[in-house]
Amino acid sequence: MNRLATETSPYLLQHSKNPVDWYAWGEEAFNAAEKENKPLFISIGYSTCHWCHVMERESFENPEVAELLNRNFISIKVDREEHPDVDHYYMEACQLMTGRGGWPLTLFAGADKLPFMAGTYFPRESVNGRIGFKELIERIAEVWKNNRSSLEGTINEIRDGIKSQLAVNPAGSFDEAIIKDAFEYFNNSYDEEYGGFGSAPKFPSPHNMLFLLRYRHHYNNDRALEIVENSVKHIFTGGIYDHVGGGFHRYSTDGEWIVPHFEKMLYDQATMILLLSDLYRITGNNFYKYFIESAADYAAAHLGSPVGAFYSAQDADSDGREGKFYLWNYKELNSFLSEYEIRFLEKYFNIRPEGNFKEEWGARSKGENILYFNNQFQDEFENIIEEFKPVRKKLLNARVERVKPLTDKKILTDWNSLMVYALANAAGATGNAELLKNAERAYSFIEANHLDGKKLYHSSAEGKRGESTILDDYAFYGLAGEMLFEYTGKSEYVKNSILIAEELINRFYDGEKKLFRLSENFFPSENITVFDNAYPSGNSASFLFLSRLGHCLKTDKYSKYLTGIYDNIPGIIKRHPYGASFLLNSLFNLYFEFKEAVIAGGGTNEGGGKLGRLQGLYEPDKAFIPVNRGNMVTLASENGFFSSFIADIEKLENEEGVEMLYICNRDGCSLPVEIHY
C-alpha cells in the first residue's frame, strides 16, 4: 500500500496498491520535490474514466515504470472531481501546449507546480512513431538532470501563456446582441437530421437547450423550441439513454446518438432533468415526463446512497471492457425472451442477429446490440413503452447477473446540490412529491455532513470528509436551498441560503474582475472561469443564485454583484456567448422584467396547495415566495416588506384551503387574489 491508502477519494484509493510511490495533492509532495530536487509528475483523472484505467494497467501497475518514476520524480495522483481548480489550471496548460485535452491528464512540473510538459494518455511503449510513457519519463529525467536550464524558458513561456489564456478582461456593458449571437451560433451549428450541435462526438449539453427555451420565451421564436424538441427526441431515444436500466450516458461517440461513451455521471442526470422539466411545463407532453421520472428513478436506485445523498458516477467499464454491461448478444436474448419479444425488440429497438453495435475505436463489430428506439414510431412512443415494460423487466433480471460497473461512492457537494435543484424543479413541473422528498433528503445530508459552521466542504466518501472547498459548492448549494424554499416554504432553507450567499461573496468574489474565483487556492493565474463545460460553471450558478435569492427576499443587497458583470461583461463572453449559456440565463433576469409571486397563507412550513399548479407553468422570470407563520420572522428580518403580510396570515390561518396571491415587481405589488384549492 502506498500513501494513497489513507485518502477519501475512490479514484486515489484505486491506485493505493500501485508500485508507484504516489503522493496526494498537497504540501507534503511539493516539499519532497524541493528537498529531493526532483520534478513533479502529476496524473489527473477520475474513477469512472476508461483511459485512466488503461494507463494504470499498462504503466502504473508495471514495476519497471514504477521504479523509473520513484527514482526520478515525485508522483502526484489527483482526482479531478475532488480538485476541479487544479484540473482547470493544468487542463489549460495541456491545451495550450498540445492543442487538445482530456483524461488522464499527464503533466510534468517543477516543485513550484509550474508545468513544462503536458499530454493525456500515453501507451507504455513507443509505437508507430508515438512516444511511450516509459521512454517519455526517461527523456524528461535526463533533461532534468543534465540540461535543466533549457526548461526555464519553456516554464516561463507556458506560465505567461496560461495567464494570458485565463485572463478575464471586461469588454464594456452587456447588450442584447450577446443573447442573439448565442442563439445564432446554436441555430447555425444545429444538426437538422439528428439534433444536437456540431459533429461527433456529441455531448447533450442540456444547459445550452435551457438557454434556447428561455430565448423562445422572450422572443417568441418557435425555431428555438423546434431545435430543442428535435434534439431531445433523438437524444432520449438513442443509445446514449439506457433503455433497460434508465439514466443517461455521458456522450455519444457518433453523430446519431447511438454509440455512447458509457460512463454515467450524476451531473448529467441532473441537467437532463432540468431540461425535461421545462419542456414538460411548456408542452405538457408525457414523453418528457417519462424520462424525468426514469432519470430520477435511476439516480435514486443506482447513485442514491443509504444516507440520502447521491454518489458521483458509474464507470464505463465492467469485467475489463468498456460498455460490456449494457450490450446484448442475439443468442443470449433468444435464451430468455420469446420469439414475439425478440420481434418486438427488432422492430422498435433496432436489435439485429448480426448486431447493431460497433466499438468506438476501430468501429469493429462483435455481433452485439445496444437498444435504441426506432424513431419512425415516435408517435406511438407511449403505447410502445407500456408494452416494453415486461420485456424490460426480463432484460433487467438478466443484466443483474453480470459484473456491474464500479460506482464512485464519492459524495460531492456541488453535484448533489445541482441534483437537488433539478429534483425540486421536476417536482414543481410534474407534481411528483417523491422527487421533492428525495431532494430534501440529499440537501439535509450535505447540511449535516459537509457544512461546518460557515465552511462548506467539497466531498466525502465512506463517512470521511475531504478538506477542499470550491466556488461551485457554495453556488449550487445556495441555489438548491433557495429553490427548496420556493417549493416548501420552510424557513431553514432560506436561512441557509442567506448564510451561503455571504460566504460565497466573502470567500470568492473578485471585486476587480466582478466575477468569482474558482477556489481560495493560489495559482499563477486569475483562477476564474466563466465558461460552462459538461455542467454550468460556478460563476453561472453564483449569478443565478444571487439573482433568485435577491428576488426571493425582495432586496437589492446582492445587486452590486449582479450588475457588476452586467456593466463589465467579460470580453470572452462577448466573443463566444454560446460558451456561457447558463450565465446568460442570469443576464436574462437583469435585462427583462423579473417578478415575484408572493403567496401568503398556508400552514407552518408548507408551500401550500396552489404551488403544484402555479409552479407547473413555464415562468422563468418569476420567483415564488411562500409567506407563512413558520418563515415570517426570517423573511421580515431580511426585509420589513414581509411584515405587511402578517394580517393576511392571521386572517387566513383558520380558513383551510384559502391563500392570497400578490404579483410584485420593483415598483410594488398588485391587489391580492384569493386562491381556493
Side-chain angles (χ1 to χ4, degrees):
M1 302 290 278
N2 56 43
R3 289 178 182 82
L4 301 185
T6 60
E7 292 298 314
T8 59
S9 161
Y11 177 61
L12 268 57
L13 290 171
Q14 285 172 7
H15 292 76
S16 63
K17 294 182 181 178
N18 295 165
V20 177
D21 188 16
W22 291 114
Y23 287 77
W25 178 264
E27 292 301 319
E28 183 185 7
F30 312 141
N31 292 338
E34 191 166 359
K35 182 180 178 182
E36 298 178 33
N37 195 23
K38 292 179 179 179
L40 297 172
F41 162 56
I42 304 169
S43 175
I44 304 176
Y46 56 105
S47 71
T48 56
C49 163
H50 171 70
W51 289 103
C52 299
H53 298 323
V54 174
M55 194 162 175
E56 180 188 16
R57 287 195 297 268
E58 291 179 348
S59 294
F60 304 146
E61 292 179 355
N62 182 273
E64 190 178 356
V65 172
E67 194 278 328
L68 285 169
L69 285 172
N70 295 342
R71 176 157 37 95
N72 297 294
F73 299 88
I74 297 297
S75 299
I76 301 177
K77 177 58 73 173
V78 180
D79 183 339
R80 77 173 180 101
E81 294 165 3
E82 271 200 330
H83 293 284
D85 50 347
V86 176
D87 177 65
H88 171 65
Y89 177 77
Y90 286 121
M91 185 62 73
E92 289 291 340
C94 183
Q95 290 173 337
L96 183 69
M97 285 187 255
T98 68
R100 60 188 295 271
W103 297 277
L105 187 54
T106 301
L107 301 115
F108 297 88
D112 56 6
K113 304 185 284 292
L114 294 174
F116 56 82
M117 189 274 165
T120 54
Y121 162 77
F122 290 91
R124 184 175 71 232
E125 305 294 343
S126 300
V127 60
N128 297 329
R130 181 179 183 181
I131 191 170
F133 186 65
K134 181 182 167 187
E135 183 180 347
L136 176 68
I137 58 179
E138 288 174 328
R139 284 193 194 179
I140 290 175
E142 178 66 22
V143 171
W144 183 267
K145 184 178 179 181
N146 297 317
N147 194 16
R148 192 181 313 176
S149 60
S150 67
L151 298 175
E152 291 177 5
T154 302
I155 290 172
N156 291 332
E157 186 180 340
I158 293 167
R159 180 197 59 211
D160 294 342
I162 297 171
K163 193 172 182 179
S164 173
Q165 188 103 337
L166 294 179
V168 182
N169 298 314
S173 60
F174 172 82
D175 61 76
E176 193 178 14
I178 293 172
I179 291 174
K180 294 190 173 182
D181 285 349
F183 170 74
E184 287 304 324
Y185 171 83
F186 292 125
N187 188 35
N188 293 333
S189 61
Y190 167 62
D191 181 341
E192 296 277 357
E193 186 173 5
Y194 296 110
F197 308 102
S199 56
K202 278 184 175 175
F203 290 79
S205 302
H207 43 284
N208 293 336
M209 290 186 273
L210 284 166
F211 162 79
L212 288 172
L213 294 181
R214 194 81 179 267
Y215 187 90
R216 179 252 185 189
H217 177 77
H218 286 296
Y219 293 101
N220 198 27
N221 186 308
D222 286 338
R223 170 65 170 172
L225 181 60
E226 175 193 326
I227 290 171
V228 175
E229 287 211 272
N230 188 46
S231 297
V232 163
K233 284 176 180 176
H234 279 92
I235 292 167
F236 291 10
T237 54
I240 191 174
Y241 173 75
D242 179 4
H243 292 275
V244 177
F248 298 93
H249 298 294
R250 188 160 160 249
Y251 64 87
S252 177
T253 64
D254 66 327
E256 301 174 35
W257 306 103
I258 294 172
V259 181
H261 188 55
F262 286 94
E263 295 161 86
K264 288 182 180 177
M265 315 299 290
L266 178 62
Y267 60 71
D268 283 326
Q269 317 312 313
T271 50
M272 287 293 199
I273 289 170
L274 276 174
L275 172 62
L276 288 163
S277 299
D278 278 358
L279 273 171
Y280 183 65
R281 284 183 170 100
I282 292 167
T283 67
N285 188 336
N286 284 329
F287 174 86
Y288 304 124
K289 186 179 181 184
Y290 169 81
F291 284 103
I292 289 172
E293 294 178 343
S294 176
D297 287 347
Y298 160 76
H302 299 285
L303 296 177
S305 72
V307 293
F310 293 95
Y311 298 137
S312 62
Q314 276 193 310
D315 207 333
D317 293 20
S318 61
D319 204 17
R321 184 179 161 217
E322 183 183 5
K324 186 175 181 180
F325 185 72
Y326 302 100
L327 300 173
W328 300 93
N329 180 280
Y330 199 79
K331 183 179 179 181
E332 178 190 10
L333 291 173
N334 268 300
S335 70
F336 63 87
L337 295 178
S338 68
E339 184 176 345
Y340 174 81
E341 290 167 331
I342 291 286
R343 300 289 89 78
F344 176 88
L345 291 181
E346 287 180 338
K347 181 176 181 180
Y348 296 116
F349 288 92
N350 292 293
I351 69 159
R352 298 287 178 266
E354 68 277 12
N356 65 19
F357 179 81
K358 291 183 179 179
E359 291 182 327
E360 176 184 356
W361 300 101
R364 293 176 302 174
S365 173
K366 294 185 177 180
E368 294 166 315
N369 289 277
I370 187 167
L371 271 64
Y372 64 98
F373 189 75
N374 189 336
N375 267 315
Q376 66 177 294
F377 299 106
Q378 186 72 243
D379 293 342
E380 304 170 48
F381 182 81
E382 285 189 59
N383 293 332
I384 293 166
I385 285 299
E386 194 62 33
E387 193 175 347
F388 179 52
K389 283 181 179 177
V391 184
R392 179 174 179 251
K393 187 174 181 180
K394 287 186 178 182
L395 292 167
L396 276 171
N397 289 338
R399 209 163 80 173
V400 163
E401 302 302 317
R402 298 178 176 180
V403 176
K404 295 177 180 61
L406 170 81
T407 297
D408 184 332
K409 294 187 175 181
K410 184 165 67 270
I411 295 173
L412 298 171
T413 297
D414 52 348
W415 295 6
N416 267 266
S417 300
L418 180 59
M419 179 56 99
V420 170
Y421 173 57
L423 291 174
N425 265 285
T430 63
N432 185 332
E434 191 64 29
L435 300 180
L436 188 59
K437 189 184 299 182
N438 289 343
E440 290 192 89
R441 287 182 71 220
Y443 183 93
S444 295
F445 174 88
I446 298 299
E447 180 182 14
N449 296 277
H450 289 195
L451 182 61
D452 186 358
K454 294 183 177 182
K455 191 168 185 179
L456 186 59
Y457 290 93
H458 179 57
S459 66
S460 64
E462 305 291 347
K464 187 176 179 182
R465 191 172 66 194
E467 291 302 313
S468 62
T469 62
I470 60 168
L471 168 66
D472 297 30
D473 299 328
Y474 288 81
F476 284 112
Y477 184 67
L479 187 58
E482 189 281 327
M483 190 56 58
L484 284 176
F485 172 72
E486 288 194 44
Y487 282 81
T488 68
K490 295 179 182 178
S491 61
E492 59 262 37
Y493 294 135
V494 74
K495 279 182 185 176
N496 267 2
S497 288
I498 292 166
L499 168 71
I500 291 298
E502 292 171 357
E503 289 301 299
L504 174 75
I505 292 164
N506 291 338
R507 290 175 180 273
F508 303 105
Y509 189 66
D510 185 321
E512 181 185 345
K513 296 295 180 181
K514 312 297 182 186
L515 292 162
F516 295 89
R517 294 183 299 275
L518 184 54
S519 74
E520 297 173 275
N521 295 330
F522 168 78
F523 287 94
S525 68
E526 290 172 347
N527 198 21
I528 292 173
T529 178
V530 293
F531 276 167
D532 305 316
N533 289 306
Y535 59 96
S537 73
N539 266 291
S540 296
S542 295
F543 287 113
L544 185 61
F545 164 45
L546 293 178
S547 171
R548 293 199 69 88
L549 183 61
H551 284 292
C552 199
L553 298 174
K554 284 198 65 67
T555 179
D556 292 328
K557 68 191 285 187
Y558 307 117
S559 62
K560 69 177 181 180
Y561 306 106
L562 299 167
T563 55
I565 187 174
Y566 194 78
D567 295 333
N568 297 273
I569 197 81
I572 198 165
I573 291 181
K574 211 158 192 173
R575 293 191 300 274
H576 309 290
Y578 49 84
S581 58
F582 202 79
L583 180 58
L584 295 185
N585 286 329
S586 304
L587 296 175
F588 272 120
N589 292 354
L590 294 168
Y591 189 74
F592 295 95
E593 185 180 24
F594 198 96
K595 295 181 179 179
E596 300 91 23
V598 179
I599 303 146
T604 300
N605 286 345
E606 289 180 9
K610 75 286 145 187
L611 287 179
R613 283 172 292 180
L614 291 180
Q615 293 184 330
L617 303 174
Y618 184 67
E619 292 285 351
D621 306 312
K622 194 178 269 87
F624 290 88
I625 313 172
V627 183
N628 57 46
R629 186 172 289 280
N631 61 40
M632 172 59 68
V633 173
T634 300
L635 292 174
S637 67
E638 287 292 315
N639 190 339
F641 162 82
F642 291 102
S643 301
S644 62
F645 296 100
I646 291 175
D648 277 347
I649 290 170
E650 289 178 347
K651 176 185 172 185
L652 295 170
E653 203 165 39
N654 297 318
E655 295 185 44
E656 188 175 343
V658 182
E659 293 174 343
M660 306 298 288
L661 170 67
Y662 300 78
I663 301 298
C664 307
N665 59 23
R666 66 189 62 165
D667 300 319
C669 297
S670 67
L671 292 172
V673 176
E674 280 195 8
I675 301 176
H676 296 261
Y677 58 92

Coordinates of all heavy atoms in Angstrom, one line a residue, residues 77-110:
K77 N -1.0 11.9 -7.6 CA -2.2 11.5 -8.2 C -3.4 12.4 -7.8 O -3.5 12.7 -6.6 CB -2.5 10.0 -7.8 CG -3.9 9.5 -8.4 CD -4.0 9.6 -9.9 CE -3.1 8.6 -10.6 NZ -3.4 8.6 -12.1
V78 N -4.1 13.0 -8.7 CA -5.2 14.0 -8.4 C -6.5 13.5 -9.0 O -6.6 13.1 -10.1 CB -4.9 15.3 -9.0 CG1 -6.0 16.3 -8.7 CG2 -3.5 15.9 -8.6
D79 N -7.5 13.5 -8.1 CA -8.9 13.2 -8.6 C -9.5 14.6 -9.0 O -9.7 15.5 -8.2 CB -9.7 12.7 -7.4 CG -11.2 12.3 -7.8 OD1 -11.7 12.8 -8.8 OD2 -11.8 11.5 -7.0
R80 N -9.8 14.7 -10.3 CA -10.2 16.0 -10.8 C -11.6 16.4 -10.2 O -11.9 17.6 -10.2 CB -10.4 15.9 -12.4 CG -11.7 15.2 -12.9 CD -11.8 15.3 -14.4 NE -13.0 14.6 -14.9 CZ -14.1 15.3 -15.2 NH1 -14.2 16.6 -15.0 NH2 -15.2 14.6 -15.6
E81 N -12.3 15.4 -9.7 CA -13.6 15.8 -9.1 C -13.4 16.3 -7.7 O -14.3 17.0 -7.2 CB -14.5 14.5 -9.1 CG -14.9 14.2 -10.6 CD -15.6 12.8 -10.7 OE1 -15.7 12.1 -9.6 OE2 -15.9 12.3 -11.8
E82 N -12.3 15.9 -7.0 CA -12.0 16.4 -5.7 C -11.3 17.8 -5.8 O -11.5 18.7 -5.0 CB -11.1 15.5 -5.0 CG -11.8 14.4 -4.2 CD -10.9 13.9 -3.1 OE1 -9.6 13.9 -3.3 OE2 -11.4 13.5 -2.0
H83 N -10.6 18.0 -6.9 CA -9.8 19.3 -7.1 C -10.1 19.8 -8.5 O -9.2 19.9 -9.3 CB -8.3 19.0 -6.9 CG -7.9 18.6 -5.5 ND1 -7.9 19.5 -4.4 CD2 -7.6 17.4 -4.9 CE1 -7.5 18.9 -3.3 NE2 -7.4 17.6 -3.6
P84 N -11.3 20.3 -8.7 CA -11.6 20.9 -10.1 C -10.8 22.1 -10.4 O -10.5 22.4 -11.5 CB -13.1 21.2 -10.0 CG -13.5 21.2 -8.6 CD -12.5 20.3 -7.9
D85 N -10.3 22.8 -9.3 CA -9.5 24.0 -9.6 C -8.1 23.6 -10.1 O -7.6 24.3 -11.0 CB -9.4 24.8 -8.3 CG -9.0 24.0 -7.1 OD1 -9.0 22.8 -7.1 OD2 -8.6 24.6 -6.0
V86 N -7.5 22.6 -9.5 CA -6.2 22.0 -10.0 C -6.4 21.5 -11.4 O -5.6 21.9 -12.3 CB -5.7 20.9 -9.1 CG1 -4.5 20.3 -9.6 CG2 -5.5 21.4 -7.7
D87 N -7.4 20.8 -11.7 CA -7.7 20.2 -13.0 C -7.9 21.4 -14.0 O -7.3 21.3 -15.2 CB -8.9 19.4 -13.0 CG -9.3 18.8 -14.3 OD1 -8.5 18.0 -14.9 OD2 -10.4 19.2 -14.8
H88 N -8.6 22.4 -13.7 CA -8.9 23.5 -14.6 C -7.6 24.2 -15.0 O -7.3 24.4 -16.2 CB -9.8 24.5 -13.9 CG -9.9 25.8 -14.6 ND1 -10.6 25.9 -15.8 CD2 -9.6 27.1 -14.3 CE1 -10.6 27.2 -16.3 NE2 -9.9 27.9 -15.4
Y89 N -6.7 24.4 -14.1 CA -5.4 25.1 -14.4 C -4.5 24.3 -15.3 O -4.0 24.7 -16.3 CB -4.7 25.4 -13.1 CG -3.3 26.1 -13.4 CD1 -3.2 27.4 -13.7 CD2 -2.1 25.4 -13.3 CE1 -2.0 28.0 -14.0 CE2 -0.9 26.0 -13.5 CZ -0.9 27.3 -13.9 OH 0.3 27.9 -14.2
Y90 N -4.4 23.0 -14.9 CA -3.5 22.1 -15.7 C -4.1 21.7 -17.1 O -3.4 21.5 -18.0 CB -3.1 20.9 -14.9 CG -2.1 21.3 -13.8 CD1 -2.3 21.0 -12.5 CD2 -0.8 21.9 -14.2 CE1 -1.4 21.4 -11.5 CE2 0.1 22.2 -13.2 CZ -0.2 22.0 -11.9 OH 0.7 22.3 -10.9
M91 N -5.4 21.7 -17.1 CA -6.1 21.4 -18.4 C -5.8 22.5 -19.4 O -5.6 22.3 -20.6 CB -7.6 21.2 -18.3 CG -8.3 20.8 -19.6 SD -7.7 19.2 -20.2 CE -8.4 18.0 -19.1
E92 N -5.8 23.8 -18.9 CA -5.5 24.9 -19.8 C -4.1 24.8 -20.2 O -3.7 25.1 -21.4 CB -5.7 26.2 -19.0 CG -7.2 26.6 -18.7 CD -7.9 27.0 -20.0 OE1 -7.2 27.3 -21.0 OE2 -9.1 26.9 -20.0
A93 N -3.2 24.4 -19.3 CA -1.8 24.2 -19.7 C -1.6 23.1 -20.8 O -0.9 23.3 -21.8 CB -0.9 23.8 -18.5
C94 N -2.3 22.0 -20.7 CA -2.3 21.0 -21.7 C -2.8 21.4 -23.0 O -2.2 21.2 -24.1 CB -3.1 19.8 -21.2 SG -3.0 18.3 -22.3
Q95 N -3.9 22.2 -23.0 CA -4.5 22.6 -24.3 C -3.6 23.7 -24.9 O -3.5 23.7 -26.2 CB -5.9 23.2 -24.0 CG -6.9 22.1 -23.7 CD -8.2 22.6 -23.3 OE1 -8.4 23.7 -22.8 NE2 -9.3 21.8 -23.4
L96 N -2.9 24.5 -24.1 CA -2.0 25.5 -24.6 C -0.8 24.8 -25.3 O -0.4 25.2 -26.4 CB -1.6 26.4 -23.5 CG -0.6 27.6 -23.9 CD1 -1.4 28.6 -24.7 CD2 0.0 28.2 -22.7
M97 N -0.3 23.7 -24.7 CA 0.9 23.1 -25.2 C 0.6 22.1 -26.3 O 1.5 21.9 -27.2 CB 1.6 22.3 -24.0 CG 2.3 23.2 -23.1 SD 3.3 22.2 -21.8 CE 2.2 22.4 -20.4
T98 N -0.5 21.5 -26.3 CA -0.8 20.4 -27.3 C -2.0 20.7 -28.2 O -2.1 20.0 -29.2 CB -1.1 19.1 -26.6 OG1 -2.3 19.2 -25.9 CG2 0.0 18.8 -25.6
G99 N -2.8 21.6 -27.9 CA -4.0 21.9 -28.7 C -5.2 21.0 -28.4 O -6.2 21.1 -29.1
R100 N -5.0 20.1 -27.4 CA -6.1 19.2 -27.0 C -6.0 18.9 -25.5 O -5.0 19.3 -24.9 CB -6.1 17.9 -27.8 CG -4.8 17.2 -27.6 CD -4.7 16.0 -28.6 NE -5.7 15.0 -28.4 CZ -5.5 13.9 -27.5 NH1 -4.4 13.8 -26.9 NH2 -6.5 13.1 -27.4
G101 N -7.1 18.3 -25.0 CA -7.1 17.9 -23.6 C -7.9 16.7 -23.4 O -8.4 16.1 -24.4
G102 N -8.0 16.2 -22.2 CA -8.8 15.0 -21.9 C -8.1 14.3 -20.7 O -7.1 14.8 -20.1
W103 N -8.7 13.2 -20.3 CA -8.2 12.4 -19.2 C -7.8 11.0 -19.6 O -8.5 10.5 -20.4 CB -9.2 12.4 -18.1 CG -9.5 13.8 -17.6 CD1 -8.8 14.5 -16.6 CD2 -10.6 14.7 -18.0 NE1 -9.4 15.8 -16.5 CE2 -10.5 15.9 -17.3 CE3 -11.6 14.5 -18.9 CZ2 -11.4 16.9 -17.5 CZ3 -12.5 15.6 -19.1 CH2 -12.4 16.8 -18.4
P104 N -6.8 10.5 -19.0 CA -5.9 11.0 -17.9 C -5.1 12.2 -18.4 O -4.7 12.2 -19.6 CB -5.0 9.9 -17.5 CG -4.9 9.0 -18.8 CD -6.3 9.1 -19.4
L105 N -5.0 13.2 -17.6 CA -4.2 14.4 -17.8 C -2.8 14.1 -17.3 O -2.7 13.8 -16.1 CB -4.8 15.6 -17.2 CG -4.2 17.0 -17.5 CD1 -4.1 17.2 -19.0 CD2 -5.1 18.0 -16.9
T106 N -1.8 14.2 -18.1 CA -0.4 13.8 -17.7 C 0.5 15.1 -17.8 O 0.6 15.7 -18.8 CB 0.1 12.8 -18.7 OG1 -0.7 11.6 -18.6 CG2 1.6 12.4 -18.3
L107 N 1.1 15.5 -16.7 CA 1.9 16.7 -16.6 C 3.2 16.5 -15.9 O 3.3 15.6 -15.0 CB 1.2 17.8 -15.9 CG -0.2 18.2 -16.5 CD1 -1.3 17.8 -15.6 CD2 -0.2 19.6 -16.9
F108 N 4.2 17.3 -16.2 CA 5.5 17.4 -15.5 C 5.8 18.8 -15.2 O 5.5 19.7 -16.0 CB 6.6 16.8 -16.4 CG 6.4 15.3 -16.7 CD1 5.7 15.0 -17.8 CD2 6.9 14.3 -15.9 CE1 5.5 13.6 -18.1 CE2 6.7 13.0 -16.2 CZ 6.0 12.6 -17.3
A109 N 6.2 19.0 -13.9 CA 6.3 20.4 -13.4 C 7.5 20.5 -12.4 O 7.9 19.4 -11.9 CB 5.0 20.9 -12.7
G110 N 7.9 21.7 -12.1 CA 8.9 21.9 -11.1 C 8.2 21.9 -9.7 O 7.0 21.8 -9.6

